[in-house]
Amino acid sequence: MAQKVKICETILRDAHQSLIATRMRLDEMLPILPAMDEVGFYSCECWGGATFDACIRFLDEDPWERLRVIRKNMPNTKLQMLFRGQNMLGYRHYADDAVEYFVKKSVDNGIDIIRIFDALNDIRNLEASIKATKKTSAHMQAAISYTLSPVHNVEYFVKYAKQLEDAGADSICIKDMAALITPSVAYELTAALKKAVKIPVNLHTHYTSGLASMSLLKSIEAGCDIIDTAMSPLAMGTSHAATESMVAALEGTPYDTGLDLKKLDVVRAHFAKLREKYLSEGLLNPKVMGVDANTLVYQVPGGMLSNLVSQLKQAGKEDKFEDVLREVPNVRKDAGYPPLVTPTSQIVGTQAVFNVIMGERYKMVTKEFKGLVKGEYGRTPAPIDPAFRKKILGDEEPIECRPADLIEPEMEKLRAGFPPEYLEQEEDILTMAMFPQVAPKFFESRKNKKYGVDGKHGDKASKVHPV
């Protein structure tokens, strides 16, 4: 039986993360939040991902306060966040007690739905965050990091989805971060998931390859319950399919979203003005608004492509770009076919660059690549060849257990080590834990502003440190 499709609106998080490096400010969101609350979205993704980092690094904003303000102004809409499992929102694995405390504080401050994923699809890295979420009132959406490889197929993803359901997931998300899913596969995978699991299925895909709206439609025809979209001014390109377009396409069909295009137009008008502002400031590069078919050829996310170009430029080896693109699949194969998403995309990409510019494969190995091969990030989708592992690790023993089992509880230590002059809320301890280099500057600025001193350190449009 066909049913109404629900919309997860991403403009307050992933849309601007994809197009303008997460630089939308709270004061730019605030005027339109009440109108967005009236639309009737299933959920609004507004937190997590890189928003936390960008808030304190560039925007001089407290991410916790941002969440509280959005919650206050959108009381009728479920607020959603993206959470990197054992990494939380930082870039290392944290102890289970820190993960549990972060989940609790996220829900306490207004989050209703937590979308949890692991870069390797290692369910062991989701255990702590799943258990923590189940202790709260929040909806736990477990995400599959979608990718293509000899070991990634419909059977693999369905098996993983059933594990996630058994672990307590309230819904399943197909997280296609690199825009690789084709319409036919979207239909096949969604149909298989709907047959295998008894919980709702959500498709999240980007427009980079130009396939998103077609893939969403075919997924809907196969029974997809929820789709991720973005309001049109910040849709398309490396962002998502346009919300209004998908609503219009489904209108009058058995899948009708029930959303009002007139109400959506009020929201669109606000973000259309912001789009013009971002273009004039140079924050929004028109290049990211187009289709990049190389995504399908090389299976490399758009953001990873730009990082490769930057690394080669710094090394004076821009002419080696095609060689690096050809090397990426080889490195990925050697490393057990990890999906290319934060942090594995950066790890594999950087190692491919070294392999090419050094003129010898693995002559120089990055600390992060060694950690990936060792098992510090978890179990890779395919086993790593023992001879290759020996070449990279030498006499070091690989990690076979859940990586977080090696981390002692750390909340008491984090509390004890927090500078008391900066503590304004318990959440600050978590901010410091995730971004120990950046957080002190933010806390100092916040303290100065409180006492009437201009201590701003943020920049609205930095292109030096994209998140």
Side-chain angles (χ1 to χ4, degrees), residues 132-148:
T133 306
K134 299 306 286 185
K135 287 183 179 180
T136 71
S137 59
H139 176 110
M140 201 286 288
Q141 183 177 87
I144 299 165
S145 294
Y146 180 82
T147 189
L148 303 174

Side-chain angles (χ1 to χ4, degrees), residues 2 124 147 202 204 213 242 291 398 416 433 465:
R124 299 175 306 168
T147 189
N202 188 156
H204 167 100
S213 55
V291 169
H465 306 287

Side-chain angles (χ1 to χ4, degrees), residues 158 161-163 165 172 192-201:
V158 168
K162 290 178 76 171
Q163 288 179 315
E165 182 184 37
I172 297 291
L193 288 173
K194 291 296 292 182
K195 187 176 180 181
V197 301
K198 307 301 180 189
I199 52 180
V201 173

Side-chain angles (χ1 to χ4, degrees), residues 299-310:
Q299 301 173 22
V300 172
M304 184 177 168
L305 278 173
S306 59
N307 282 339
L308 295 179
V309 171
S310 175

Side-chain angles (χ1 to χ4, degrees), residues 201-222:
V201 173
N202 188 156
L203 177 57
H204 167 100
T205 185
H206 289 252
Y207 218 94
T208 321
S209 62
L211 297 175
S213 55
M214 292 181 280
S215 296
L216 289 171
L217 191 57
K218 292 303 292 184
S219 179
I220 288 166
E221 290 175 353

Side-chain angles (χ1 to χ4, degrees), residues 389-432:
R389 182 173 262 168
K390 179 74 174 175
K391 177 182 178 179
I392 301 299
L393 299 183
D395 293 330
E396 287 189 46
E397 287 294 318
I399 295 170
E400 301 292 352
C401 66
R402 184 181 76 113
D405 286 342
L406 303 175
I407 307 173
E408 293 292 327
E410 58 182 326
M411 278 310 302
E412 282 190 26
K413 186 178 178 181
L414 291 170
R415 281 195 181 91
F418 191 93
E421 68 271 21
Y422 290 146
L423 190 65
E424 291 190 7
Q425 55 186 354
E426 272 285 300
E427 290 83 353
D428 291 340
I429 297 165
L430 293 165
T431 301
M432 179 72 89

Side-chain angles (χ1 to χ4, degrees), residues 49-163:
T51 58
F52 213 99
D53 192 342
C55 276
I56 65 171
R57 191 185 299 268
F58 302 118
L59 304 179
D60 204 37
E61 289 185 16
D62 181 352
W64 298 98
E65 181 62 17
R66 171 183 286 202
L67 175 56
R68 290 189 288 264
V69 169
I70 296 173
R71 173 77 287 164
K72 183 179 178 181
N73 286 273
M74 296 185 72
N76 304 304
T77 305
K78 292 176 184 176
L79 300 186
Q80 185 166 323
M81 74 172 291
L82 182 67
F83 192 73
R84 289 196 285 263
Q86 209 72 35
N87 287 69
M88 304 200 301
L89 302 181
Y91 301 104
R92 69 168 174 88
H93 275 196
Y94 293 85
D96 290 347
D97 63 336
V99 172
E100 180 173 350
Y101 194 58
F102 189 95
V103 168
K104 180 182 184 303
K105 283 298 180 182
S106 298
V107 177
D108 287 349
N109 281 276
I111 288 295
D112 299 294
I113 301 172
I114 303 182
R115 177 179 291 170
I116 305 171
F117 80 99
D118 177 64
L120 297 178
N121 289 325
D122 184 348
I123 195 167
R124 299 175 306 168
N125 290 336
L126 302 184
E127 286 176 5
S129 45
I130 287 175
K131 289 176 183 175
T133 306
K134 299 306 286 185
K135 287 183 179 180
T136 71
S137 59
H139 176 110
M140 201 286 288
Q141 183 177 87
I144 299 165
S145 294
Y146 180 82
T147 189
L148 303 174
S149 85
V151 298
H152 291 95
N153 52 33
V154 169
E155 183 181 6
Y156 169 94
F157 292 125
V158 168
K159 182 181 178 181
Y160 185 48
K162 290 178 76 171
Q163 288 179 315

Side-chain angles (χ1 to χ4, degrees), residues 144-426:
I144 299 165
S145 294
Y146 180 82
T147 189
L148 303 174
S149 85
V151 298
H152 291 95
N153 52 33
V154 169
E155 183 181 6
Y156 169 94
F157 292 125
V158 168
K159 182 181 178 181
Y160 185 48
K162 290 178 76 171
Q163 288 179 315
L164 294 170
E165 182 184 37
D166 290 344
D170 297 306
S171 62
I172 297 291
C173 175
I174 306 166
K175 180 177 166 56
D176 176 28
M177 56 282 172
L180 297 176
I181 200 164
T182 61
S184 59
V185 175
Y187 185 95
E188 182 185 5
L189 178 55
T190 304
L193 288 173
K194 291 296 292 182
K195 187 176 180 181
V197 301
K198 307 301 180 189
I199 52 180
V201 173
N202 188 156
L203 177 57
H204 167 100
T205 185
H206 289 252
Y207 218 94
T208 321
S209 62
L211 297 175
S213 55
M214 292 181 280
S215 296
L216 289 171
L217 191 57
K218 292 303 292 184
S219 179
I220 288 166
E221 290 175 353
C224 182
D225 301 277
I226 310 158
I227 59 171
D228 284 18
T229 59
M231 292 301 301
S232 58
L234 291 180
M236 316 289 274
T238 51
S239 179
H240 307 274
T243 302
E244 306 96 304
S245 302
M246 291 306 300
V247 168
L250 298 172
E251 199 169 40
T253 75
Y255 314 108
D256 196 322
T257 64
L259 301 188
D260 186 340
L261 285 168
K262 290 181 179 178
K263 288 184 178 180
L264 285 171
D265 190 52
V266 174
V267 179
R268 180 208 60 79
H270 174 81
F271 289 108
K273 292 175 184 175
L274 284 181
R275 175 192 165 103
E276 292 306 310
K277 178 188 175 194
Y278 297 146
L279 283 167
S280 66
E281 292 176 345
L283 258 180
L284 180 57
N285 187 333
K287 287 183 180 179
V288 302
M289 304 302 290
V291 169
D292 184 357
N294 273 336
T295 297
L296 296 169
V297 177
Y298 297 111
Q299 301 173 22
V300 172
M304 184 177 168
L305 278 173
S306 59
N307 282 339
L308 295 179
V309 171
S310 175
Q311 289 175 356
L312 288 170
K313 191 172 183 178
Q314 289 173 8
K317 301 279 188 179
E318 291 175 89
D319 60 316
K320 299 291 187 182
F321 182 62
E322 291 292 330
D323 293 337
V324 170
L325 284 180
R326 283 189 288 270
E327 177 62 2
V328 166
N330 298 328
V331 174
R332 188 169 172 241
K333 178 183 178 182
D334 292 339
Y337 293 110
L340 296 179
V341 63
T342 303
T344 51
S345 54
Q346 294 91 327
I347 295 171
V348 170
T350 301
Q351 188 59 52
V353 168
F354 276 121
N355 284 2
V356 169
I357 65 177
M358 296 299 292
E360 180 184 334
R361 303 187 74 227
Y362 305 109
K363 182 178 181 180
M364 181 182 289
V365 178
T366 68
K367 175 188 173 185
E368 290 78 14
F369 186 77
K370 187 176 181 180
L372 178 63
V373 172
K374 187 175 181 178
E376 289 176 4
Y377 296 88
R379 186 188 295 122
T380 53
I384 295 174
D385 179 69
F388 178 75
R389 182 173 262 168
K390 179 74 174 175
K391 177 182 178 179
I392 301 299
L393 299 183
D395 293 330
E396 287 189 46
E397 287 294 318
I399 295 170
E400 301 292 352
C401 66
R402 184 181 76 113
D405 286 342
L406 303 175
I407 307 173
E408 293 292 327
E410 58 182 326
M411 278 310 302
E412 282 190 26
K413 186 178 178 181
L414 291 170
R415 281 195 181 91
F418 191 93
E421 68 271 21
Y422 290 146
L423 190 65
E424 291 190 7
Q425 55 186 354
E426 272 285 300

